[in-house]
Amino acid sequence: MPNHLFDLVRAHLPVDPSAKTFIETGDGIHLSYADLLARSGAYATALVVLGVKPGDRVAVQAEKSPDFIFLYLGAVRAGAVFLPLNTAYTATEIDYFLSDADPVLFVCDPAKAEALAAVARKAGVAEIRTLGADGRGSIAEAADAAQTDFSDVTRGPDDLAAILYTSGTTGRSKGAMLSHDNLASNALTLKESWRFTADDVLIHALPVFHTHGLFVATNVVLATGGTLLFLAKFDPGRALALMARATAMMGVPTFYTRLLKEPGLTREATAAIRLFVSGSAPLLAETHRDWQARTGHAILERYGMTETNMNTSNPYAGARVAGTVGPALPGVAVRVVDPETGRVLAADAVGMIEVKGPNVFKGYWRMPEKTAAEFKADGFFITGDLGKIDPQGYVHIVGRGKDLIITGGYNVYPKEIENEIDALPGVVESAVIGLAHADFGEGVTAVVVARPDVAPEAEMLRALEARLARYKCPKRVLFVDELPRNAMGKVQKNVLRDTYARLYGG
Ligand code: AMP
């Protein structure tokens, strides 16, 4: 039966599915495309036996393993809505997600089963099963016992395939509803744009509860019949060792900064790779340059989000410009508007980034008002990211809208200040935030990671005053050992704002 997303996988199966590796694990286990078909079929059967019906949510908080991927594909084949949850979420957070998403089945780590079963039962979840990092658990046992032949449940392009909760740094997390075609169309677009073929071997060290690891990396390979080298978590030494056998790697910027610390990172060590992709957080222009100097490869940076899949990408052939996320992907419309008036802005003017296309989600789960508030009448989605489009059509992101600083009535875009600070001698990286200030409303504040040879605060402030308009200059520079980051490597400015909330007595 037609199942829009899984048909994409079927359409790109190797001629002999048992002869081609889909996943090779860090322990050297090879799972073929025949294994993918059998195991996802077994999970689909097991889900149906458990009472999962088309459109039902299947919530999963489990460690990364090949069975996690087979469970995802089994849910898609059974017509269910796959709902992966960050492994870091606590019982209180799980309580919120389960109560909100109302799944029929919740799969969790065996080690957490006792505590979470009580939470799930309270939230009204009918079935609770387990899946561990070793791919074993009661849901895996159910799949062992289930028939591997499964006739896919019919699902059209607009039917939901997944709900992913946004990281939600402010307010409640929202469930982004992603349709079969949101995922399938983006996988095909990325495959074409990044020239993936069945010969590709991708280093996959990303978490699988997030759009980057679950959809971008996994679906692109599924849409080509290629191979994943699957690491449970990122380890620079292991990733480097795999590069001799791989053709591509997708990572968050921290993968690249950590790999740059490996003395073994050389042109020779990366000679087999044809593509390094970065996303989920801004890649420093310096990292881009250092990587090119060490390896000869220009990292391809792209921009997307849970709600929209991927929107823009630097070109495969053509200039990959450091500090930009490239032009809109084919089929995706990107514009920058004045947040106050909604007027579309000319090239180089900074404003709110809005996107429209087959990649953009169907709305927030059970939040019609929030959905309505974030879509324009002409169908564009308001991303919440501020940026500009240069005359060459490349998008530059200057930060999240909520990170914009308004000081003495002037708008300050943190990225501009961060770029100036990062260029000062001895600075490793920086985060610029606004903190409550009696005179200015918000005081521009720099939080800096530096090497011992960095200039003291007063000298740094003087250097910045020579380069930036007075209102943009930080009032204080605070030195820290490292910036707080989430699992995807994003700097958590909300944590910094909370930590230093009273710096100016605010
Ligand atoms: P998430 O929904 O967790 O994938 O987060 C999406 C957000 O990450 C976007 O709205 C951007 O703020 C940020 N982001 C993703 N990719 C990039 C990038 N290449 N450069 C800068 N920010 C990015």
Side-chain angles (χ1 to χ4, degrees):
M1 303 257 233
N3 178 294
H4 191 72
L5 182 56
F6 201 72
D7 284 350
L8 179 71
V9 180
R10 289 191 184 281
H12 297 91
L13 284 173
V15 181
D16 179 359
S18 56
K20 180 76 193 271
T21 300
F22 165 49
I23 291 183
E24 178 185 328
T25 67
D27 308 327
I29 296 169
H30 287 247
L31 296 155
S32 68
Y33 274 85
D35 294 323
L36 177 161
L37 284 173
R39 198 69 183 153
S40 64
Y43 274 111
T45 309
L47 294 182
V48 171
V49 169
L50 282 172
V52 173
K53 306 230 166 2
D56 282 348
R57 274 77 55 214
V58 170
V60 182
Q61 187 194 37
E63 297 295 335
K64 183 174 178 180
S65 70
D67 269 61
F68 187 107
I69 300 296
F70 299 141
L71 175 57
Y72 151 53
L73 295 173
V76 168
R77 295 179 65 181
V81 180
F82 191 66
L83 200 156
L85 292 163
N86 192 322
T87 46
Y89 287 144
T90 61
T92 318
E93 288 163 314
I94 294 293
D95 186 8
Y96 165 72
F97 293 117
L98 297 183
S99 308
D100 189 55
D102 198 10
V104 166
L105 167 68
F106 174 50
V107 178
C108 69
D109 194 278
K112 296 183 188 167
E114 218 175 87
L116 291 182
V119 171
R121 252 181 253 111
K122 200 179 114 243
V125 180
E127 299 290 345
I128 300 149
R129 296 290 184 279
T130 59
L131 184 65
D134 57 359
R136 302 309 307 158
S138 55
I139 193 73
E141 282 161 26
D144 294 346
Q147 211 177 301
T148 55
D149 278 343
F150 184 82
S151 167
D152 300 342
V153 170
T154 302
R155 293 276 93 180
D158 283 336
D159 287 319
L160 293 191
I163 294 179
L164 258 63
Y165 278 85
T166 58
S167 357
T169 43
T170 50
R172 282 294 199 192
S173 270
K174 303 179 285 265
M177 299 190 285
L178 297 157
S179 70
H180 275 240
D181 198 51
N182 289 154
L183 304 180
S185 68
N186 212 232
L188 285 174
T189 302
L190 296 178
K191 166 191 164 169
E192 300 287 318
S193 299
W194 297 344
R195 302 195 187 169
F196 268 80
T197 69
D199 294 332
D200 272 304
V201 178
L202 177 77
I203 299 175
H204 188 306
L206 293 157
V208 285
F209 51 73
H210 186 268
T211 183
H212 196 167
L214 185 60
F215 300 142
V216 183
T218 306
N219 287 350
V220 167
V221 166
L222 284 169
T224 58
T227 298
L228 292 172
L229 298 180
F230 215 57
L231 293 178
K233 61 179 176 46
F234 178 70
D235 174 280
R238 297 194 74 178
L240 188 56
L242 289 175
M243 285 185 196
R245 299 198 290 119
T247 62
M249 185 178 88
M250 292 184 194
V252 294
T254 14
F255 284 18
Y256 294 99
T257 50
R258 287 180 60 196
L259 275 161
L260 277 165
K261 293 190 183 127
E262 292 286 311
L265 182 82
T266 58
R267 270 175 193 262
E268 296 69 41
T270 56
I273 303 275
R274 65 169 187 87
L275 182 64
F276 287 104
V277 180
S278 176
S280 290
L283 182 79
L284 291 178
E286 189 195 356
T287 310
H288 193 280
R289 281 192 293 271
D290 290 352
W291 191 268
Q292 191 152 22
R294 281 276 287 283
T295 68
H297 293 277
I299 298 173
L300 182 153
E301 187 172 7
R302 95 296 181 279
Y303 157 64
M305 59 198 301
T306 302
E307 289 94 327
T308 64
N309 299 284
M310 299 305 106
N311 298 313
T312 75
S313 170
N314 270 281
Y316 189 83
R320 299 182 191 163
V321 180
T324 84
V325 293
L329 282 161
V332 182
V334 178
R335 68 187 184 192
V336 171
V337 308
D338 181 325
E340 307 295 317
T341 64
R343 195 169 51 85
V344 177
L345 296 174
D348 277 340
V350 172
M352 177 59 69
I353 300 174
E354 298 184 344
V355 298
K356 187 178 173 180
N359 52 313
V360 176
F361 75 138
K362 300 285 157 200
Y364 293 112
W365 171 254
R366 291 187 179 167
M367 288 186 175
E369 301 82 20
K370 285 233 158 64
T371 304
E374 296 192 27
F375 277 93
K376 292 287 187 61
D378 59 2
F380 274 81
F381 172 65
I382 308 168
T383 62
D385 289 314
L386 295 171
K388 64 175 188 180
I389 305 177
D390 70 21
Q392 284 68 44
Y394 283 54
V395 175
H396 301 236
I397 296 174
V398 300
R400 292 293 294 166
K402 61 180 188 297
D403 293 333
L404 173 75
I405 303 168
I406 305 181
T407 181
Y410 290 105
N411 285 0
V412 175
Y413 299 106
K415 181 83 182 286
E416 184 189 354
I417 324 301
E418 287 158 6
N419 285 344
E420 292 296 343
I421 297 174
D422 294 349
L424 296 174
V427 172
V428 176
E429 60 173 347
S430 61
V432 168
I433 52 172
L435 297 175
H437 191 291
D439 291 340
F440 294 95
E442 284 185 302
V444 179
T445 310
V447 185
V448 173
V449 179
R451 289 184 287 271
D453 60 323
V454 75
E457 181 180 2
E459 204 177 306
M460 201 183 252
L461 289 174
R462 271 199 301 281
L464 291 171
E465 276 163 24
R467 307 164 78 107
L468 290 166
R470 186 142 195 110
Y471 73 90
K472 294 182 188 172
C473 282
K475 309 225 167 315
R476 289 290 314 272
V477 176
L478 310 171
F479 292 98
V480 295
D481 290 338
E482 59 180 0
L483 297 175
R485 285 198 150 81
N486 72 6
M488 299 311 292
K490 285 193 227 296
V491 175
Q492 294 169 303
K493 290 196 170 176
N494 56 321
V495 172
L496 291 174
R497 282 191 289 262
D498 290 348
T499 308
Y500 301 109
R502 302 189 59 80
L503 187 69
Y504 305 113

